[in-house]
Amino acid sequence: MASALFFLTLLLFTVISAVNSCLPSERAALLAFKAALTEPYLGIFKTWSGINCCQGWYGVACEPATNRVTDINLRGESQDPIFQKLHRSGYMTGKISPEICNLSNLTTLVVADWKAIAGEIHPCVTSLSSLRILDLAGNKISGNIPADVGKLRQLAVLNLADNEISGDIPASIVDLAGLMHLDLSNNWISGELPSNFGKLAMLSRALLSQNQLTGSIPESVSRMNRLADLDLSQNRMTGSIPVELGKMKVLSTLKLDGNAMSGQIPSTLLSNTGMGILNVSRNGFSGTIPDVFGSGSYFMVLDLSFNNFSGRIPGSLSSSKFMGHLDLSYNHLCGTIPIGSPFDHIDAASFSNNDCLCGNPLKAC
């Protein structure tokens, strides 16, 4: 009798465990994902054992009601105790297996900052229709961004920074209607920004620096009412700055340094009281610097260096509410440097290598 009761209890426990476990197919997908990677120092994959991948598997989370895998969150630079105990950041080699695409309920895929994960982004990733966060930054991933990336209609974060990704920005990217954060910086991406880039109406940060992008800034960007941070620095961009960019109410950081852009700087950019960081250095901008600063001007950084600006330094700069870092060096400016704030705390290097500037902190006129 006791023996029969024991086996009945064991059977009941087995049934309950099976009901509360992740799907065998999803467990198999995770194990295939694990098999394609090697993590030699932290031992995080040692936790990926047992029948229930929803419990105790490092970086894996499931939806409680269905036990479907929803999150893979593996970041090589983490505050997790497993990292702190060994006093080191993560290092992982291998590639991301396409088996990951069998996790059809996945909302978060973070495999970032492992330094040496290579291979390409498999096109099947675009079939993960519930995906909201795709973060593969800080690896050695190569190849192109999947052409059908626009199918990820729920995507809010796309971070592929600090990899070796090449090719164009797919035209379909503008179909990501809910995208809020885009970071493709420090890759080998080429081609032009899609002309209808402004369709990304929810985007607040577009970080595209240190690539090989060409062409001009699409005027459609000015219709992105939530865009606060646009970084196109260190590319091969040409053309002028659309005047409409200066009329954007939320844009507070604009970095265009290290390109081949030209033309005059729009007065609207300098008079926009919401603009806090403006860097257009190392381009071919010319003309005079618009004298449009006012009591609402608040620049943490204003860098116009290494261009072809001529004429005088705008006297209205003295009326700015705040000017943290100002650099006007390596231009063709002339005349007397205005007195008072902010000029009384800016060193000579910020005015050096111009045609005929004089006055404090340079030589007397």
Side-chain angles (χ1 to χ4, degrees):
M1 182 69 179
S3 177
L5 183 62
F6 171 77
F7 282 112
L8 184 62
T9 303
L10 182 61
L11 178 62
L12 182 63
F13 175 78
T14 302
V15 170
I16 293 173
S17 297
V19 169
N20 291 329
S21 296
C22 61
L23 293 179
S25 60
E26 296 199 335
R27 179 177 179 273
L30 287 171
L31 291 177
F33 170 79
K34 169 187 173 182
L37 296 167
T38 300
E39 191 283 292
Y41 302 119
L42 301 170
I44 62 171
F45 285 136
K46 290 181 180 178
T47 65
W48 288 32
S49 61
I51 192 172
N52 189 5
C53 58
C54 293
Q55 184 174 353
W57 287 37
Y58 182 91
V60 177
C62 300
E63 205 282 317
T66 63
N67 284 312
R68 301 294 299 272
V69 176
T70 56
D71 294 41
I72 297 177
N73 198 332
L74 300 174
R75 191 174 295 279
E77 295 178 359
S78 173
Q79 300 302 312
D80 192 277
I82 197 171
F83 289 80
Q84 295 175 346
K85 184 177 180 180
L86 294 177
H87 304 288
R88 66 178 302 150
S89 59
Y91 183 83
M92 192 183 293
T93 58
K95 62 182 181 179
I96 298 174
S97 170
E99 294 292 324
I100 210 75
C101 300
N102 291 328
L103 303 174
S104 57
N105 283 39
L106 206 62
T107 62
T108 300
L109 178 56
V110 176
V111 189
D113 301 320
W114 292 100
K115 304 176 183 65
I117 294 176
E120 300 185 3
I121 303 171
H122 198 279
C124 71
V125 168
T126 64
S127 69
L128 297 172
S129 58
S130 298
L131 203 61
R132 289 185 49 79
I133 298 174
L134 178 58
D135 186 349
L136 307 177
N139 290 296
K140 290 186 177 180
I141 294 171
S142 58
N144 297 349
I145 301 170
D148 291 333
V149 68
K151 290 182 177 180
L152 298 174
R153 298 301 173 91
Q154 302 300 316
L155 203 64
V157 175
L158 177 59
N159 188 354
L160 305 176
D162 303 316
N163 279 290
E164 298 174 0
I165 295 169
S166 57
D168 295 352
I169 296 175
S172 72
I173 201 168
V174 302
D175 295 329
L176 299 175
L179 192 66
M180 293 185 284
H181 178 97
L182 173 65
D183 193 348
L184 305 178
S185 57
N186 195 22
N187 279 287
W188 299 340
I189 298 170
S190 57
E192 301 184 7
L193 284 179
S195 61
N196 54 350
F197 194 71
K199 280 184 63 179
L200 295 170
M202 299 297 291
L203 199 64
S204 62
R205 303 191 78 199
L207 309 179
L208 306 166
S209 64
Q210 299 181 69
N211 279 289
Q212 299 174 21
L213 295 173
T214 55
S216 57
I217 301 173
E219 289 188 9
S220 65
V221 169
S222 64
R223 297 193 288 273
M224 302 170 76
N225 295 326
R226 296 174 182 263
L227 188 64
D229 189 347
L230 176 60
D231 189 352
L232 289 165
S233 61
Q234 299 183 57
N235 278 287
R236 300 175 182 177
M237 303 288 291
T238 55
S240 58
I241 302 174
V243 174
E244 292 79 11
L245 257 61
K247 301 175 183 178
M248 297 174 68
K249 295 181 179 180
V250 178
L251 187 65
S252 59
T253 298
L254 179 60
K255 297 179 180 178
L256 303 175
D257 49 295
N259 280 287
M261 300 184 70
S262 59
Q264 297 188 348
I265 188 167
S267 60
T268 51
L269 271 182
L270 301 180
S271 62
N272 187 334
T273 56
M275 187 65 62
I277 297 175
L278 177 61
N279 190 342
V280 299
S281 64
R282 299 181 186 276
N283 278 283
F285 294 113
S286 58
T288 58
I289 301 172
D291 197 1
V292 292
F293 299 90
S295 59
S297 299
Y298 194 101
F299 282 94
M300 291 175 282
V301 174
L302 177 58
D303 194 341
L304 309 180
S305 63
F306 290 91
N307 279 288
N308 297 312
F309 291 114
S310 58
R312 305 177 68 86
I313 296 175
S316 61
L317 271 168
S318 297
S319 63
S320 300
K321 182 177 182 180
F322 179 79
M323 186 66 64
H325 173 79
L326 174 67
D327 194 345
L328 304 176
S329 62
Y330 290 89
N331 279 288
H332 299 290
L333 300 173
C334 204
T336 305
I337 297 173
I339 60 175
S341 178
F343 301 100
D344 54 8
H345 71 263
I346 296 175
D347 59 32
S350 294
F351 304 104
S352 66
N353 292 279
N354 276 283
D355 287 0
C356 47
L357 283 179
C358 58
N360 188 53
L362 301 180
K363 64 181 182 180
C365 295

